[in-house]
Amino acid sequence: MTIGILKDSYGRAIRDLRVSVTDKCNFRCFYCLPHGSPEETAPKSQVLTYEEIEFAVSVFVSLGVEKVRLTGGEPMLRRDIETLVSKLARVPGLKDLALTTNGFNLSERAAGLKAAGLRRVTVSLDSLKRAAFQEMTGVDMLTRVLDGIHAAQRVGLAPVKVNAVIVRGHNDEEVADMAAFAREHGVHVRFIEYMPLDSGHGWTRERVVPGAEIRAAINERFLLVAKKVERGSETATRYRFADGSPGEVGIIAPVTEPFCGACSRIRLTADGQVRTCLFSKVEHSLRDVIRRGASRAEVAEYIESVVMQKEPRHYINETFFEQPARTMSLIGG
Ligand code: SAM
Ligand code: SF4
Ligand code: SF4
């Protein structure tokens, strides 16, 4: 099978596709879907079926996408996600298949996901303290999420990555404790700056904890050494512990250290819209193209034309910045 190179108009190769499989979620992380906020979810008829997702992914892969990450909303809420995983694991040419989850039922399902062909999992965990976890996510599920992380490790969904969105006044004092967790359990903890993508529009610059501050807080307790990896299009700057402890930390600083120049990402929403940037103001309905019976070649041509419209960068730091209408849970983080 010939694999192409999908390039945008700035010459960036698109190799990373994030597929949101549902816009529904059972958590209410205030930086995403604030507590009590209703979900404006798409009617079932508009949500891509597993067959449609498999078809779309196979075309993306034939064009040069190497890595697919399943996300949402909460992807584990989509019925029998293992079936989709096993379909995608068989797509010829796909090099990496991962999933991002809030971890609420991972302890029961990690083994099934691994057996279906999942390679890696990322679990969101914003705090190691029960009260702060509940305050940030709206649910009292810290123990379940921790159990999920350990189950994923046991079945070999490794390395397990843990995502923590750091927000001033909520969990910024816990950064070094989370690094200690990475060491103790041999996981990769990725600290993420808060981005203006929350449906409650509660984002302010003051609430962003800059990557540099996160790095300094960890270094004060555990000396970090930058990992010699080609950063390329990776979102995280990665560090190991100087004393040789297991685990790793990553810092994802899209607000204070943007990495748009090397962006390799594109997103497909649960209702079949291609988003060429997290902050896109326009979407492109791949669902309509697929549902009108377009051939594989026509779908490929459509995707190529959409990718050419990819935005150069985000404008969070400009005075004219406006938050996109769809929020993280609807876009697929
Ligand atoms: N529900 C799953 C979960 O939470 O892992 C997958 C979807 S969630 C939208 C994907 C990732 O986006 C999570 O790790 C979450 O912490 C991150 N995220 C959500 N809103 C964010 C925001 N406003 N800024 C930065 N990251 C955010
Ligand atoms: Fe749900 Fe994930 Fe958003 Fe939290 S970050 S509300 S778990 S979609
Ligand atoms: Fe890529 Fe847009 Fe994110 Fe920049 S803001 S890294 S261009 S998706």
Side-chain angles (χ1 to χ4, degrees):
M1 160 186 188
T2 355
I3 304 237
I5 300 180
L6 190 56
K7 281 211 169 152
D8 72 5
S9 64
Y10 302 93
R12 295 172 297 189
I14 305 304
R15 302 204 186 279
D16 182 348
L17 172 68
R18 308 218 168 165
V19 180
S20 171
V21 295
T22 179
D23 48 16
K24 297 191 173 68
C25 191
N26 52 346
F27 282 24
R28 284 292 178 279
C29 307
F30 72 80
Y31 50 75
C32 179
L33 260 182
H35 305 180
S37 67
E39 285 172 311
E40 290 165 29
T41 52
K44 196 167 177 227
S45 61
Q46 287 180 13
V47 173
L48 294 187
T49 64
Y50 285 171
E51 287 67 32
E52 288 169 335
I53 294 175
E54 184 187 10
F55 174 54
V57 165
S58 75
V59 178
F60 273 106
V61 170
S62 71
L63 288 171
V65 162
E66 296 176 341
K67 179 173 157 191
V68 169
R69 175 173 292 280
L70 299 177
T71 180
E74 175 42 48
M76 304 281 281
L77 288 180
R78 181 88 186 244
R79 190 180 308 161
D80 200 13
I81 188 76
E82 292 80 358
T83 300
L84 178 64
V85 168
S86 63
K87 283 178 189 291
L88 298 185
R90 290 195 298 263
V91 169
L94 181 61
K95 294 189 180 151
D96 192 11
L97 181 59
L99 175 133
T100 304
T101 174
N102 62 29
F104 82 103
N105 64 359
L106 192 56
S107 65
E108 303 95 77
R109 292 172 67 187
L113 285 168
K114 172 79 179 168
L118 192 71
R119 304 266 183 88
R120 293 182 300 111
V121 77
T122 299
V123 185
S124 296
L125 173 70
D126 298 324
S127 173
L128 296 166
K129 295 181 187 153
R130 183 174 171 188
F133 181 96
Q134 181 166 9
E135 188 249 337
M136 289 190 78
T137 61
V139 293
D140 184 13
M141 289 211 196
L142 174 61
T143 311
R144 285 184 67 149
V145 174
L146 291 173
D147 288 348
I149 292 173
H150 302 318
Q153 284 188 299
R154 269 197 310 278
V155 303
L157 285 170
V160 174
K161 287 186 187 164
V162 169
N163 275 358
V165 179
I166 306 301
V167 184
R168 178 84 63 212
H170 292 271
N171 58 353
D172 48 334
E173 302 289 335
E174 262 196 86
V175 163
D177 293 341
M178 303 273 301
F181 179 84
R183 294 161 61 90
E184 192 182 330
H185 298 285
V187 296
H188 294 190
V189 176
R190 293 142 41 109
F191 299 91
I192 307 175
E193 285 179 351
Y194 179 19
M195 288 184 278
L197 287 167
D198 54 318
S199 65
H201 291 252
W203 183 89
T204 59
R205 200 161 292 281
E206 293 66 43
R207 299 181 87 186
V208 176
V209 181
E213 187 180 324
I214 295 171
R215 202 173 296 125
I218 302 171
N219 255 319
E220 236 175 66
R221 196 174 321 163
F222 308 112
L223 197 59
L224 295 176
V225 180
K227 283 194 94 166
K228 283 199 180 61
V229 282
E230 188 54 56
R231 178 161 179 195
S233 59
E234 261 211 72
T235 50
T237 324
R238 295 166 58 183
Y239 301 88
R240 64 176 174 81
F241 295 102
D243 63 4
S245 278
E248 176 181 313
V249 302
I251 296 179
I252 304 182
V255 180
T256 63
E257 301 166 31
F259 36 77
C260 302
C263 181
S264 63
R265 284 165 293 285
I266 193 160
R267 289 175 165 82
L268 181 61
T269 65
D271 58 350
Q273 309 300 304
V274 177
R275 288 184 67 98
T276 47
C277 174
L278 266 180
F279 295 92
S280 291
K281 289 285 169 67
V282 285
E283 298 186 337
H284 310 268
S285 187
L286 185 61
R287 182 191 70 221
D288 289 350
V289 175
I290 292 175
R291 290 195 180 169
R292 70 168 180 259
S295 67
R296 177 172 275 275
E298 285 164 344
V299 171
E301 206 175 296
Y302 178 75
I303 292 172
E304 282 172 330
S305 73
V306 165
V307 163
M308 288 305 279
Q309 298 168 54
K310 183 171 165 67
E311 296 74 352
R313 63 185 180 98
H314 69 63
Y315 298 98
I316 302 173
N317 299 317
E318 317 296 332
T319 48
F320 57 82
F321 173 74
E322 269 179 52
Q323 196 170 321
R326 295 239 257 184
T327 58
M328 202 60 145
S329 70
L330 301 176
I331 295 169

